[in-house]
Amino acid sequence: MSRKRVAILISGRGSNMSTLIEAAKAPDYPAEIVGVLSNRAAAPGLAVAASHGIATASLAQSKFPSRDMFEDVMTQLLESWDTEIVCLAGFMRILGEDFVHRWEGRMINIHPSLLPAYRGLHTHERALADGVKVHGCTVHFVTPGLDEGAPILQAEVPVLPGDTPETLSARVLVEEHRIYPEALRMLAAGEIEMGKAPHLNG
């Protein structure tokens, strides 16, 4: 079986990254994690990835004169790993159009809401403020518009009386860890492609 070469972009602890690394250890999983790139040298996830024998790198956007130059170097790094698919796992940078178009259809993200609801940040706080009864998470293709790409999988989580952003986040994270490896499997196996509507229920 030819396995797709996957790079993961992180900014922090990389809990979703760890889930993808574990999933890819299965011999029948159609993807392998070949590199982890962070925009923060202190991201704890880098040490986790290195402990699994995965190549790591960090690039600080502040060291570059422009976002385009930063993303050009990111692309060079990803290409040096022969990357075929890019997974965003808590990468806290908005990506430029050129970079997104370079990987379009081959770059996916996990977002802590049932898109199109609550694009952007502070999703749990906003859901609680609105009094919604159901919240969740979405794996979606990355496009130039913020969190606007086509969903691949979604999972719902009930909002319980007395929930705080922290308790709600913890329950959503369990579902993130469940559906992200499955969405990557689907993409790597050629079961889905951007522009063709997949089944959303995780």
Side-chain angles (χ1 to χ4, degrees):
M1 178 182 68
S2 176
R3 305 176 82 199
K4 294 291 186 182
R5 296 175 63 84
V6 176
I8 304 174
L9 305 189
I10 65 170
S11 292
R13 63 194 171 106
S15 70
N16 273 299
M17 172 205 74
S18 296
T19 305
L20 296 178
I21 290 172
E22 291 302 321
K25 289 181 178 179
D28 60 345
Y29 195 76
E32 60 177 321
I33 312 304
V34 298
V36 173
L37 172 61
S38 175
N39 64 319
R40 292 179 57 245
L46 290 173
V48 174
S51 74
H52 289 278
I54 295 169
T56 63
S58 64
L59 288 174
Q61 185 169 330
S62 59
K63 302 284 179 67
F64 293 84
S66 69
R67 182 171 70 180
D68 285 346
M69 292 184 68
F70 167 68
E71 292 179 352
D72 284 347
V73 176
M74 279 179 57
T75 292
Q76 290 168 25
L77 256 172
L78 294 172
E79 289 178 342
S80 76
W81 293 332
D82 294 325
T83 300
E84 296 173 277
I85 295 172
V86 176
C87 289
L88 307 185
F91 187 69
M92 303 305 288
R93 283 282 177 187
I94 294 176
L95 297 166
E97 284 196 24
D98 287 348
F99 185 86
V100 172
H101 286 312
R102 166 70 178 79
W103 299 99
E104 201 158 12
R106 299 183 296 139
M107 182 160 58
I108 60 177
N109 181 47
I110 182 84
H111 182 75
S113 80
L114 295 171
L115 292 173
Y118 307 117
R119 295 181 175 126
L121 301 175
H122 309 299
T123 60
H124 310 304
E125 291 88 342
R126 291 155 63 196
L128 290 172
D130 285 349
V132 299
K133 301 298 185 187
V134 177
H135 190 45
C137 52
T138 306
V139 184
H140 65 97
F141 285 104
V142 177
T143 58
L146 180 64
D147 301 325
E148 289 182 355
I152 299 168
L153 286 176
Q154 291 185 321
E156 295 183 350
V157 168
V159 180
L160 304 178
D163 257 337
T164 65
E166 292 73 26
T167 60
L168 185 54
S169 172
R171 286 205 311 284
V172 170
L173 192 63
V174 171
E175 294 303 307
E176 291 181 34
H177 291 171
R178 185 175 66 82
I179 68 171
Y180 208 177
E182 174 61 12
L184 175 57
R185 185 201 66 76
M186 293 166 65
L187 180 61
E191 294 176 10
I192 55 167
E193 59 183 88
M194 199 164 83
K196 294 186 179 179
H199 298 293
L200 289 183
N201 292 331

